Amino acid sequence: MRLAAIDIGSNAVRCQISNVFRYEDHTLFKRVEYIRYPMRLGEDVFATGIISQAKAEKFIKFLHALKLLMEVHGVHDYMICATSAMRSAHNAQEILHEVQKRLGLHIQVIDGTTEADLINMVIKQQLDDRNYLHIDVGGGSTEFNIFVNRLKVASISFEQGSIRHMQGDESEEIWNTMQKWVTENARHYHVTRAIGTGGNINKIYDMAKKAAGKPIFRKQIEEVVDHISSMSMEERVKVLLLNADRADVIVPAAEIYLSAMKWAHVESMLVPQIGLKDGILQSLYERHQGATQHHFKLDF
């Protein structure tokens, strides 16, 4: 079975196409295509409340390209999920209707709880017996989850992410509420380690040159962030080779990860480099699991 997941985030749109097959007792997802495009819907939405006409047209063109790519790859089924920026845009329904009319693609605008649930479908497979604080920082929202014995026991979503933080689109009340929730729940459930997801923590992990599967320590995150912060935007792009859409949000995102780790009094974090797109693929697979064998076909 070949499946496609499209994650429409506040900073970027990601598409992953994977072959899914069973081997012994395991379900394996083999990536055959991955595309990330810095659409930056949140830049418009968090500043003006709407997605501009120019960006909406670019967005529809990009989805058209992804539709053709899915056709070329013979995708059997797909799911498209949009998160914080599309949740917040006053003209979201108008754009979604236009996508449906012109491309025949259905986009689900999911709330923060659903977003966290999809990510958690794959996160729990990475955990051991420790108690974890899961931190997922996107462009427009941050999700916190507590795992005890691989089971989620508490969760919350805040409309506060890297782009909002960079633009100063936040209140002291939201920040204090985040701190209170993390502090109280981390203490109550005796959290001993964090697990981080999101493009910015993935990049920080890579820059720290950590071996896959090994935790990164708070001090190491701080060292990487201090190094990035010491550079201009031009140097971040030309010397560190960061994408332009990563260079400006990576420090604001890191401030959220580091603050949450401090509030929870944890010193180490796992960074499995998985995210919403992986949860979407898992959800798609489970949708078809147990169905009688037949050929799935996209209704383009």
Side-chain angles (χ1 to χ4, degrees):
M1 187 188 308
R2 186 164 289 180
L3 303 175
I6 299 176
D7 165 16
I8 301 170
S10 300
N11 194 39
V13 178
R14 298 172 178 83
C15 173
Q16 181 166 319
I17 298 173
S18 292
N19 284 329
V20 188
F21 54 91
R22 294 284 296 176
Y23 179 73
E24 296 180 345
D25 293 331
H26 302 287
T27 303
L28 302 177
F29 292 81
K30 172 63 176 176
R31 185 169 76 182
V32 296
E33 189 78 70
Y34 175 72
I35 293 175
R36 177 187 181 275
Y37 183 76
M39 190 64 62
R40 305 211 83 165
L41 297 177
E43 236 177 15
D44 281 4
V45 176
F46 306 144
T48 67
I50 64 170
I51 297 169
S52 69
Q53 185 63 37
K55 189 153 288 187
E57 281 299 321
K58 182 183 286 189
F59 174 65
I60 294 172
K61 285 180 181 179
F62 184 64
L63 286 181
H64 189 194
L66 295 183
K67 175 184 175 180
L68 294 174
L69 186 67
M70 290 191 288
E71 288 180 341
V72 167
H73 276 291
V75 167
H76 298 100
D77 201 1
Y78 73 95
M79 183 186 296
I80 308 175
C81 293
T83 56
S84 182
M86 200 65 78
R87 287 197 296 264
S88 302
H90 298 316
N91 60 339
Q93 287 305 313
E94 176 186 329
I95 294 171
L96 298 179
H97 176 74
E98 193 67 19
V99 169
Q100 181 73 51
K101 183 175 74 172
R102 288 163 59 173
L103 304 178
L105 296 177
H106 174 64
I107 299 174
Q108 300 179 47
V109 181
I110 58 175
D111 60 22
T113 300
T114 303
E115 183 178 354
D117 287 344
L118 285 167
I119 297 171
N120 292 342
M121 294 179 75
V122 286
I123 281 292
K124 62 185 180 182
Q125 301 169 17
Q126 309 293 320
L127 306 180
D128 53 27
D129 293 335
R130 304 184 200 209
N131 296 352
Y132 283 86
L133 168 66
H134 172 217
I135 310 165
D136 181 73
V137 180
S141 66
T142 295
E143 281 71 46
F144 296 123
N145 304 280
I146 304 287
F147 286 90
V148 174
N149 294 325
R150 298 184 178 87
L151 295 176
K152 186 173 71 172
V153 296
S155 65
I156 196 167
S157 177
F158 292 94
E159 292 297 294
Q160 175 59 53
S162 59
I163 294 179
R164 292 185 197 265
H165 191 37
M166 178 182 67
Q167 294 179 340
D169 184 15
E170 62 191 0
S171 69
E172 185 177 350
E173 182 181 358
I174 290 178
W175 199 257
N176 289 340
T177 304
M178 290 169 64
Q179 179 176 0
K180 184 173 185 290
W181 191 92
V182 171
T183 301
E184 291 181 354
N185 282 276
R187 183 187 303 119
H188 178 74
Y189 291 107
H190 307 290
V191 165
T192 57
R193 177 175 280 179
I195 182 166
T197 53
N200 290 297
I201 195 63
N202 291 346
K203 177 56 68 174
I204 290 169
Y205 189 81
D206 290 341
M207 292 177 70
K209 296 181 170 50
K210 300 296 296 185
K214 298 296 183 181
I216 187 170
F217 293 92
R218 181 150 56 102
K219 182 175 177 53
Q220 293 172 314
I221 297 174
E222 290 171 342
E223 288 171 351
V224 171
V225 173
D226 287 344
H227 181 53
I228 297 170
S229 298
S230 69
M231 294 187 166
S232 67
M233 290 298 163
E234 184 179 10
E235 289 172 327
R236 295 179 193 186
V237 172
K238 294 183 177 179
V239 178
L240 298 181
L241 302 181
L242 294 176
N243 292 333
D245 67 295
R246 179 80 65 208
D248 57 351
V249 298
I250 191 167
V251 172
E255 289 173 355
I256 299 175
Y257 288 107
L258 287 169
S259 294
M261 291 180 76
K262 290 174 184 175
W263 298 335
H265 298 289
V266 295
E267 295 298 325
S268 64
M269 173 189 283
L270 292 182
V271 183
Q273 301 198 324
I274 55 180
L276 180 58
K277 60 181 173 50
D278 303 283
I280 293 172
L281 288 170
Q282 181 70 36
S283 178
L284 270 175
Y285 172 73
E286 293 186 6
R287 176 193 295 177
H288 292 297
Q289 197 175 28
T292 55
Q293 289 189 351
H294 62 281
H295 292 292
F296 297 104
K297 185 177 179 181
L298 282 175
D299 185 20
F300 285 137

